[in-house]
PDB file of all heavy atoms in Angstrom:
ATOM      1  N   ALA H 169     370.438 119.584 106.256  1.00 97.00           N
ATOM      2  CA  ALA H 169     370.965 118.416 106.651  1.00 97.00           C
ATOM      3  C   ALA H 169     372.366 118.388 106.964  1.00 97.00           C
ATOM      4  O   ALA H 169     372.845 117.675 107.801  1.00 97.00           O
ATOM      5  CB  ALA H 169     370.705 117.305 105.520  1.00 97.00           C
ATOM      6  N   HIS H 170     373.082 119.355 106.359  1.00 97.00           N
ATOM      7  CA  HIS H 170     374.569 119.518 106.563  1.00 97.00           C
ATOM      8  C   HIS H 170     374.862 120.600 107.363  1.00 97.00           C
ATOM      9  O   HIS H 170     376.060 121.039 107.310  1.00 97.00           O
ATOM     10  CB  HIS H 170     375.326 119.497 105.185  1.00 97.00           C
ATOM     11  CG  HIS H 170     375.068 118.184 104.451  1.00 97.00           C
ATOM     12  ND1 HIS H 170     375.599 117.045 104.858  1.00 97.00           N
ATOM     13  CD2 HIS H 170     374.297 117.819 103.357  1.00 97.00           C
ATOM     14  CE1 HIS H 170     375.272 116.015 103.951  1.00 97.00           C
ATOM     15  NE2 HIS H 170     374.445 116.528 103.090  1.00 97.00           N
ATOM     16  N   ARG H 171     374.088 121.220 107.967  1.00 97.00           N
ATOM     17  CA  ARG H 171     374.220 122.452 108.770  1.00 97.00           C
ATOM     18  C   ARG H 171     375.473 122.370 109.677  1.00 97.00           C
ATOM     19  O   ARG H 171     376.288 123.206 109.794  1.00 97.00           O
ATOM     20  CB  ARG H 171     372.945 122.921 109.550  1.00 97.00           C
ATOM     21  CG  ARG H 171     373.120 124.223 110.449  1.00 97.00           C
ATOM     22  CD  ARG H 171     371.982 124.277 111.237  1.00 97.00           C
ATOM     23  NE  ARG H 171     371.955 125.685 111.964  1.00 97.00           N
ATOM     24  CZ  ARG H 171     372.634 125.856 113.178  1.00 97.00           C
ATOM     25  NH1 ARG H 171     373.109 124.825 113.753  1.00 97.00           N
ATOM     26  NH2 ARG H 171     372.440 126.982 113.702  1.00 97.00           N
ATOM     27  N   GLY H 172     375.414 121.277 110.559  1.00 97.00           N
ATOM     28  CA  GLY H 172     376.421 121.017 111.473  1.00 97.00           C
ATOM     29  C   GLY H 172     377.860 121.041 110.959  1.00 97.00           C
ATOM     30  O   GLY H 172     378.819 121.634 111.416  1.00 97.00           O
ATOM     31  N   ARG H 173     377.959 120.340 109.812  1.00 97.00           N
ATOM     32  CA  ARG H 173     379.237 120.207 109.189  1.00 97.00           C
ATOM     33  C   ARG H 173     379.649 121.535 108.615  1.00 97.00           C
ATOM     34  O   ARG H 173     380.788 122.031 108.719  1.00 97.00           O
ATOM     35  CB  ARG H 173     379.214 119.184 108.120  1.00 97.00           C
ATOM     36  CG  ARG H 173     380.547 118.936 107.539  1.00 97.00           C
ATOM     37  CD  ARG H 173     381.594 118.277 108.524  1.00 97.00           C
ATOM     38  NE  ARG H 173     382.875 118.017 107.800  1.00 97.00           N
ATOM     39  CZ  ARG H 173     383.901 117.949 108.372  1.00 97.00           C
ATOM     40  NH1 ARG H 173     384.105 118.126 109.556  1.00 97.00           N
ATOM     41  NH2 ARG H 173     385.030 117.773 107.737  1.00 97.00           N
ATOM     42  N   ALA H 174     378.767 122.275 107.913  1.00 97.00           N
ATOM     43  CA  ALA H 174     378.966 123.523 107.487  1.00 97.00           C
ATOM     44  C   ALA H 174     379.506 124.504 108.463  1.00 97.00           C
ATOM     45  O   ALA H 174     380.342 125.300 108.169  1.00 97.00           O
ATOM     46  CB  ALA H 174     377.619 124.079 106.695  1.00 97.00           C
ATOM     47  N   VAL H 175     378.745 124.549 109.689  1.00 98.00           N
ATOM     48  CA  VAL H 175     379.222 125.484 110.686  1.00 98.00           C
ATOM     49  C   VAL H 175     380.507 125.073 111.208  1.00 98.00           C
ATOM     50  O   VAL H 175     381.335 125.941 111.379  1.00 98.00           O
ATOM     51  CB  VAL H 175     378.098 125.532 111.804  1.00 98.00           C
ATOM     52  CG1 VAL H 175     378.525 126.304 112.954  1.00 98.00           C
ATOM     53  CG2 VAL H 175     376.802 126.066 111.256  1.00 98.00           C
ATOM     54  N   ALA H 176     380.831 123.760 111.272  1.00 97.00           N
ATOM     55  CA  ALA H 176     382.178 123.221 111.843  1.00 97.00           C
ATOM     56  C   ALA H 176     383.336 123.709 110.906  1.00 97.00           C
ATOM     57  O   ALA H 176     384.407 124.097 111.403  1.00 97.00           O
ATOM     58  CB  ALA H 176     382.204 121.752 111.966  1.00 97.00           C
ATOM     59  N   VAL H 177     383.057 123.699 109.609  1.00 97.00           N
ATOM     60  CA  VAL H 177     384.013 123.930 108.586  1.00 97.00           C
ATOM     61  C   VAL H 177     384.240 125.477 108.616  1.00 97.00           C
ATOM     62  O   VAL H 177     385.445 126.005 108.638  1.00 97.00           O
ATOM     63  CB  VAL H 177     383.680 123.414 107.253  1.00 97.00           C
ATOM     64  CG1 VAL H 177     384.594 124.153 106.160  1.00 97.00           C
ATOM     65  CG2 VAL H 177     383.705 121.984 107.117  1.00 97.00           C
ATOM     66  N   ALA H 178     383.120 126.323 108.824  1.00 97.00           N
ATOM     67  CA  ALA H 178     383.231 127.793 108.863  1.00 97.00           C
ATOM     68  C   ALA H 178     383.978 128.095 110.018  1.00 97.00           C
ATOM     69  O   ALA H 178     384.902 128.989 110.138  1.00 97.00           O
ATOM     70  CB  ALA H 178     381.758 128.386 108.837  1.00 97.00           C
ATOM     71  N   LEU H 179     383.772 127.410 111.228  1.00 96.00           N
ATOM     72  CA  LEU H 179     384.429 127.720 112.481  1.00 96.00           C
ATOM     73  C   LEU H 179     385.875 127.446 112.390  1.00 96.00           C
ATOM     74  O   LEU H 179     386.798 128.177 112.758  1.00 96.00           O
ATOM     75  CB  LEU H 179     383.873 126.935 113.644  1.00 96.00           C
ATOM     76  CG  LEU H 179     384.348 127.093 114.970  1.00 96.00           C
ATOM     77  CD1 LEU H 179     384.110 128.686 115.391  1.00 96.00           C
ATOM     78  CD2 LEU H 179     383.650 126.253 116.070  1.00 96.00           C
ATOM     79  N   ALA H 180     386.291 126.489 111.648  1.00 96.00           N
ATOM     80  CA  ALA H 180     387.593 126.017 111.505  1.00 96.00           C
ATOM     81  C   ALA H 180     388.415 127.181 110.628  1.00 96.00           C
ATOM     82  O   ALA H 180     389.539 127.419 111.083  1.00 96.00           O
ATOM     83  CB  ALA H 180     387.780 124.596 110.743  1.00 96.00           C
ATOM     84  N   ALA H 181     387.723 127.613 109.656  1.00 96.00           N
ATOM     85  CA  ALA H 181     388.343 128.876 108.889  1.00 96.00           C
ATOM     86  C   ALA H 181     388.427 130.019 109.784  1.00 96.00           C
ATOM     87  O   ALA H 181     389.435 130.618 109.741  1.00 96.00           O
ATOM     88  CB  ALA H 181     387.405 129.041 107.684  1.00 96.00           C
TER      89      ALA H 181
END
Side-chain angles (χ1 to χ4, degrees):
H170 297 287
R171 179 188 188 272
R173 185 69 178 151
V175 171
V177 171
L179 183 60

